[in-house]
Amino acid sequence: MKEEAKKVLKKLEEHGYEAYFVGGCVRDWLLHRPVHDIDICTNAHPGDIMKLFPDHIPTGLQHGTVTVKQDGYLFEVTTFRTEGVYEDFRRPSEVTYVNEVVEDLARRDFTINAMAMKYNKELIDPFFGLEDVNDHVIRAVGDASRRFQEDALRLVRGVRFASQLGFQIEDETRKAMRDNAPLLIHIAVERVREECNKLIDSRHPDKGFQFAKQTKIFQSIPLLQQLFDQSTMHLWRLQTVESVIHKWVVLLFAADFSWEQSRELCRYLKMSRKEEETITFLMQQLMLLQPLWDQCQSIDWTRLIMKHGLERCYDLEKVLDVLWWNDLSNKKITLQAASDKMAVKTLKELAVDGSEIRKLSDQKQGPWIQQTLEYLWERTVTGELANESEALLIAAKDFIHGEKEHP
Ligand code: ATP
Ligand code: MG
């Protein structure tokens, strides 16, 4: 564990408090996985913690959490607590402090997340989490069904951990997931989406998909459940996709979603406007390109770049690479090659602009200016016309005066 975090534990211990590393960081440390955030739990109350660590941020006092700064690093220090009464199948906003670390561990979701570790590496493991870590098993702490009824987000967390860690879900826990799946409707959709993002963007999505199908945890969001049920692709290929948005597109397309359904799902999950637009655009393009691909024809990237810009085409190429990976690659003209060949890559690079075109005619300002620029661009792209203002203006005059038809 990080030396800076150890200093925080040591200081609390030196002042007579109990203090432990707890939760995900202990799990990940035992699994030799990178530890990304370190949580500490203690019997010190927030007031004591703030006094002991003047450099702090009171990030979640109502939950008993103080963020402590130590040598430039931030650690969440939380007082041992239970969660009181759960309402509406969500975690409560009120908490109760307790004296024993074991009581604090009992409120946690899965045994692998319910371990605490002392400064001297002694493990506090009342629910046999280490055994489950070693056996690669996800098991609810205590009565699984009750735990999912307390907080239905745990349904998705369980499948997400299976997906990230490549673990199995223990039978009772899995059965309880299936039984309580309808409760997910009570959870804010943003939180479900964040868990889904982690699930999709994980090392073992095949596991996540397997359990999502078996337990039907997403049944209260039918389109989402459909995405998991209908997925036919080789999920390991998702690993080669960098961005989670592109992963969504690959999955949606592989599950035979239309672009309209994809957009509906984005909206339901309250994705950002930009994410929704990217996903919808890519789904539309994939559908347009599918017939070409079926006939083993190559893609006219030049035309696509002209229509949508290079950035969006890069996005498109990335998802195509995954979906059509077993293509005849020697036949494929890459986007890069097409872009390299374009003498003028954007309309802005043309040696003339709209104001110069406007002077060529007495007509009022209107779409004709843009049309002329596009005509010039099309001819310069192929190298047929030089990108020099004199040549362009002559060609533009011809075009405006009707000697050349607009393509
Ligand atoms: P991650 O790698 O995503 O950070 P994590 O296990 O650390 O995984 P966090 O959301 O950071 O997950 O939560 C920290 C710890 O708090 C968990 O390990 C678990 O012990 C507890 N916890 C978090 N969310 C819940 C929940 N919904 N129900 C019960 N315990 C939870
Ligand atoms: Mg964490």
Side-chain angles (χ1 to χ4, degrees), residues 88-90 151-153 183-189 191-192:
D88 296 338
F89 314 102
R90 276 172 273 189
D151 175 7
L153 186 70
L183 300 180
L184 195 66
I185 194 78
H186 299 286
I187 301 299
V189 78
R191 302 184 69 194
V192 176

Side-chain angles (χ1 to χ4, degrees), residues 108-388:
R108 294 170 187 270
D109 47 6
F110 301 104
T111 59
I112 57 168
N113 291 342
M115 291 178 278
M117 200 173 71
K118 267 194 183 163
Y119 179 83
N120 64 7
K121 300 211 175 103
E122 183 193 328
L123 203 61
I124 315 298
D125 183 18
F127 305 104
F128 308 103
L130 180 60
E131 218 173 287
D132 287 338
V133 163
N134 289 334
D135 294 345
H136 290 191
V137 167
I138 291 168
R139 182 195 312 269
V141 171
D143 180 325
S145 217
R146 222 186 77 206
R147 304 315 307 281
F148 293 126
Q149 284 159 18
E150 286 171 355
D151 175 7
L153 186 70
R154 293 171 185 159
L155 295 161
V156 199
R157 280 176 58 89
V159 176
R160 185 259 284 190
F161 286 120
S163 212
Q164 287 180 322
L165 306 171
F167 281 17
Q168 296 299 333
I169 302 180
E170 175 268 333
D171 287 352
E172 279 297 307
T173 305
R174 204 168 62 212
K175 186 174 171 299
M177 281 179 163
R178 219 193 143 90
D179 294 345
N180 293 290
L183 300 180
L184 195 66
I185 194 78
H186 299 286
I187 301 299
V189 78
E190 293 86 342
R191 302 184 69 194
V192 176
R193 183 194 65 221
E194 286 318 303
E195 290 297 327
C196 284
N197 279 339
K198 289 183 185 174
L199 189 167
I200 288 170
D201 203 9
S202 66
R203 291 275 302 269
H204 308 273
D206 49 322
K207 278 271 178 315
F209 275 70
Q210 177 197 333
F211 292 124
K213 271 187 208 177
Q214 278 179 10
T215 57
K216 299 264 179 275
I217 46 166
F218 295 115
Q219 60 183 258
S220 62
I221 309 174
L223 271 179
L224 193 55
Q225 185 64 47
Q226 190 182 328
L227 177 69
F228 284 92
D229 287 345
Q230 285 181 199
S231 175
T232 50
M233 69 169 307
H234 302 291
L235 289 163
W236 58 269
R237 287 203 52 80
L238 275 185
Q239 296 275 349
T240 62
V241 186
E242 268 169 44
S243 103
V244 68
I245 289 303
H246 293 162
K247 291 188 187 197
W248 276 101
V249 173
V250 167
L251 288 168
L252 288 162
F253 193 74
D256 269 337
F257 271 53
S258 66
W259 69 263
E260 291 92 342
Q261 284 175 308
S262 307
R263 189 178 60 185
E264 194 184 328
L265 183 58
C266 293
R267 289 189 177 162
Y268 187 89
L269 293 176
K270 297 190 181 159
M271 292 194 189
S272 72
R273 199 51 180 267
K274 184 159 178 270
E275 289 167 341
E276 179 192 314
E277 272 172 11
T278 305
I279 290 176
T280 309
F281 167 78
L282 290 171
M283 289 300 291
Q284 285 169 335
Q285 294 307 312
L286 287 173
M287 272 156 209
L288 290 172
L289 292 175
Q290 179 77 58
L292 279 185
W293 204 264
D294 291 343
Q295 295 159 27
C296 276
Q297 288 179 25
S298 46
I299 295 168
D300 184 352
W301 281 116
T302 312
R303 195 146 291 278
L304 286 171
I305 296 171
M306 291 183 71
K307 204 158 173 204
H308 306 293
L310 197 53
E311 279 308 304
R312 295 211 125 178
C313 287
Y314 276 130
D315 284 348
L316 187 55
E317 194 189 42
K318 280 183 195 146
V319 290
L320 282 174
D321 270 350
V322 185
L323 286 166
W324 292 326
W325 57 295
N326 53 354
D327 70 324
L328 310 161
S329 47
N330 54 351
K331 210 179 154 291
K332 196 173 108 182
I333 298 170
T334 66
L335 171 60
Q336 192 61 47
S339 154
D340 289 349
K341 260 176 77 192
M342 288 171 74
V344 179
K345 293 190 180 26
T346 63
L347 210 60
K348 285 204 188 87
E349 282 176 38
L350 268 186
V352 295
D353 62 16
S355 63
E356 288 164 277
I357 299 294
R358 196 180 168 187
K359 286 183 205 143
L360 298 176
S361 167
D362 301 332
Q363 295 178 60
K364 276 202 304 190
Q365 191 156 357
W368 67 273
I369 299 176
Q370 181 70 12
Q371 281 163 6
T372 310
L373 285 168
E374 279 170 11
Y375 165 75
L376 294 175
W377 186 25
E378 191 138 323
R379 293 194 54 199
T380 51
V381 157
T382 54
E384 179 195 338
L385 185 65
N387 187 22
E388 289 159 6

Side-chain angles (χ1 to χ4, degrees), residues 22-25 27-28 36-39 157 160-161 198:
V22 71
C25 65
R27 174 199 71 218
D28 288 339
H36 54 89
D37 50 355
I38 297 183
D39 295 327
R157 280 176 58 89
R160 185 259 284 190
F161 286 120
K198 289 183 185 174

Side-chain angles (χ1 to χ4, degrees), residues 75-116:
F75 303 105
E76 282 197 356
V77 183
T78 305
T79 309
F80 297 157
R81 59 180 170 85
T82 60
E83 296 193 321
V85 186
Y86 293 81
E87 274 170 33
D88 296 338
F89 314 102
R90 276 172 273 189
R91 295 172 86 188
S93 49
E94 300 252 317
V95 301
T96 315
Y97 298 138
V98 292
N99 294 321
E100 302 293 329
V101 64
V102 175
E103 286 180 80
D104 181 278
L105 294 174
R107 73 171 164 91
R108 294 170 187 270
D109 47 6
F110 301 104
T111 59
I112 57 168
N113 291 342
M115 291 178 278

